[in-house]
Amino acid sequence: MTSKHVNAVAATAIATAVLAGGTAVAPAQEQIRIVSHRQPALEYYTGQMQAALPDGRVTVELMPIDRQMELASITMSSQSDAIDVVYLNDTSLKRFAANGWLEPLDELWEKYKDEYNLDDFPASVIDSVSYDGHIYSMPIMTNTELFFYRSDLFEEAGIEPPTTMEEYMAAAAQLDTPRRAGTIMSLKPVDAALNEAHWYINAIGDGWFDEEWRPIFNNEAGVEAITMMKEMTQYAPRGFTSHANDESTINLQQGLAAMGLQWFTRAAAMDNPEQSRVVDQIDWVAPPGGGARLANDGFAISKFSSADKEEMFRMLAEAASEESMREGARYAMPPRLSVLEDEELAKQYRWYPAARRALETGKAFPAMPDFLDVGEIVTRHILQAVTGEVEVKAALDQAAAETEELLRSRDYYK
């Protein structure tokens, strides 16, 4: 037993922990150590975890994300029980789960599903905190891409917000002018371009991989998807291959673009009178065609923790309760449908109804620990395709070949 647990064992040899709801659980004999990234939403939710158990039972260490990931990786790779609960985003979750460092939560999820209304999390969120068919993290906050559009321009043109990619292209063509782009496009490598490609590949194509991790993004549907992306660039602002979230946000705020895909976290900036010329003129819907990126952050339990895993699960469930997330909505988008449907929150945050719908249609990146490495390959070739440097089919075939070579070197294929 590590020194972190010795004092707690001596002090609470027969203690009974009582969760915030007042339900008694098994005798607890050890402190619970949580390690997390530092930011306001995570400070709030780790505080909720501390409140779920008696004072002194839960210790929280908050630090910059790079330091936290390094500490967690070193600790868990050595199979140490020095960390009990760890913050992970959807990308790091896959890596930690693939390495066998996390406790599967399926049985506890099923056991406490009704008590904590865990069906309130949409399937897309559960998918994003799962790996290889098992749930590994309690979702705490989410971020999804929304479709931003100028409601005043749509009304003047007599058109409705698009629900399909074909309608999106038609609207972009109709609203494109010499002074205003029909749509934003964020194609700066790697993250922004990968997010945009993810939408097209899912909305029009068949996704990234088959069940055996063989690339399918270069099949007929994938070629159609990237061909449409290429065609859409004629309605994008100049310099779109160097645009990421900041540049696209400014283009929308300054009235330089009529619509486009952008993150939920950028919605509030549209109504900021100090930054935006289009206050109350931007509205939001779920991205046409579905399949836009969904990202989730949560907390997982270390496989090597010697603390009571059922008690820790209930602590996480308390922090992720409907009541807790309604209060936490001031810091970050909650992944519970019931909270996103709250009428009072919808009045305060105009984009919440669209976010609720986007949660049900969005898709996380493939559950592959090496997907960001794949993304570096794929986005390079997609950019060659959309700029006309290489034919779409040839570019995607080359990307698929390099992807297979990478994954074969990392033992994805038996």
Side-chain angles (χ1 to χ4, degrees):
M1 183 174 295
T2 63
S3 59
K4 108 178 164 67
H5 294 303
V6 173
N7 291 336
V9 171
T12 60
I14 313 178
T16 298
V18 179
L19 289 167
T23 305
V25 295
Q29 298 183 335
E30 298 177 306
Q31 281 188 317
I32 295 170
R33 182 190 182 199
I34 301 172
V35 174
S36 175
H37 172 40
R38 179 186 294 279
Q39 56 114 301
L42 295 176
E43 290 178 6
Y44 168 78
Y45 282 111
T46 53
Q48 292 295 97
M49 293 176 205
Q50 288 179 304
L53 293 171
D55 287 346
R57 284 294 320 286
V58 181
T59 63
V60 175
E61 296 175 43
L62 301 172
M63 59 193 73
I65 185 66
D66 54 347
R67 181 183 165 200
Q68 187 243 324
M69 284 292 103
E70 181 181 16
L71 174 62
S73 297
I74 292 172
T75 301
M76 293 187 180
S77 64
S78 65
Q79 299 188 12
S80 167
D81 71 342
I83 294 176
D84 300 303
V85 174
V86 60
Y87 157 83
L88 296 170
N89 58 33
D90 55 350
T91 303
S92 55
L93 172 80
K94 312 306 183 195
R95 179 166 62 87
F96 278 51
N99 288 337
W101 298 345
L102 304 180
E103 181 73 13
L105 304 180
D106 306 83
E107 291 184 10
L108 292 169
W109 195 278
E110 183 64 27
K111 181 176 181 178
Y112 290 106
K113 178 175 63 177
D114 294 335
E115 181 175 347
Y116 293 106
N117 190 21
L118 299 179
D119 284 340
D120 197 20
F121 296 109
S124 60
V125 170
I126 301 304
D127 287 345
S128 71
V129 295
S130 299
Y131 176 75
D132 198 23
H134 298 287
I135 302 171
Y136 283 100
S137 177
M138 179 65 68
I140 290 293
M141 56 187 188
T142 192
N143 196 7
T144 187
E145 290 180 306
L146 304 179
F147 189 78
F148 291 48
Y149 72 98
R150 284 280 300 275
S151 56
D152 58 325
L153 298 179
F154 273 69
E155 185 175 350
E156 290 173 8
I159 55 177
E160 296 294 322
T163 59
T164 67
M165 297 299 275
E166 291 75 17
E167 291 174 354
Y168 168 40
M169 177 172 280
Q174 186 170 347
L175 298 179
D176 189 69
T177 72
R179 298 184 61 183
R180 183 187 62 235
T183 182
I184 56 170
M185 291 190 78
S186 305
L187 294 184
K188 181 178 180 179
V190 170
D191 187 67
L194 189 59
N195 290 339
E196 191 98 16
H198 182 72
W199 178 32
Y200 283 80
I201 288 291
N202 288 315
I204 302 171
D206 297 323
W208 293 98
F209 301 98
D210 65 15
E211 293 181 355
E212 297 180 347
W213 296 118
R214 302 287 181 179
I216 59 172
F217 55 78
N218 62 321
N219 65 13
E220 184 177 350
V223 172
E224 180 184 352
I226 302 306
T227 297
M228 176 172 276
M229 180 190 244
K230 178 181 178 180
E231 293 172 355
M232 285 295 297
T233 63
Q234 64 187 302
Y235 308 120
R238 296 173 67 178
F240 61 86
T241 57
S242 62
H243 289 183
N245 297 323
D246 289 344
E247 291 80 8
S248 290
T249 296
I250 292 171
N251 279 327
L252 288 169
Q253 286 178 318
Q254 300 304 309
L256 300 177
M259 69 186 100
L261 190 72
Q262 186 55 278
W263 285 103
F264 165 96
T265 49
R266 302 297 178 128
M270 299 299 114
D271 284 348
N272 184 343
E274 296 181 358
Q275 299 175 332
S276 177
R277 295 182 177 180
V278 292
V279 173
D280 294 330
Q281 294 176 345
I282 295 284
D283 212 335
W284 302 266
V285 292
R293 189 180 173 194
L294 176 73
N296 274 282
D297 294 359
F299 285 86
I301 297 173
S302 169
K303 183 76 173 179
F304 314 111
S305 171
S306 56
D308 187 318
K309 292 183 172 66
E310 185 165 353
E311 180 185 48
M312 289 190 286
F313 180 85
R314 298 191 66 187
M315 174 192 73
L316 295 175
E318 287 285 341
S321 69
E322 183 177 338
E323 180 182 3
S324 174
M325 287 196 167
R326 184 167 283 106
E327 179 68 21
R330 71 173 73 177
Y331 302 107
M333 177 180 169
R336 281 186 175 270
L337 296 178
S338 59
V339 180
L340 290 170
E341 290 172 341
D342 186 287
E343 292 184 2
E344 291 304 313
L345 286 177
K347 291 177 183 177
Q348 188 174 0
Y349 309 112
R350 295 194 299 116
W351 48 94
Y352 264 44
R356 183 241 186 273
R357 292 187 290 274
L359 276 185
E360 296 188 284
T361 62
K363 286 191 177 183
F365 278 162
M368 170 189 285
D370 298 291
F371 185 67
L372 292 184
D373 292 337
V374 170
E376 291 188 12
I377 295 171
V378 175
T379 54
R380 182 174 71 252
H381 291 289
I382 285 178
L383 286 174
Q384 289 179 333
V386 299
T387 57
E389 184 178 340
V390 179
E391 291 295 322
V392 173
K393 175 62 174 171
L396 293 181
D397 283 346
Q398 183 62 34
E402 292 181 24
T403 295
E404 280 207 46
E405 183 180 356
L406 171 72
L407 298 183
R408 186 176 294 108
S409 72
R410 298 183 181 179
D411 299 323
Y412 275 77
Y413 308 128
K414 304 301 181 184

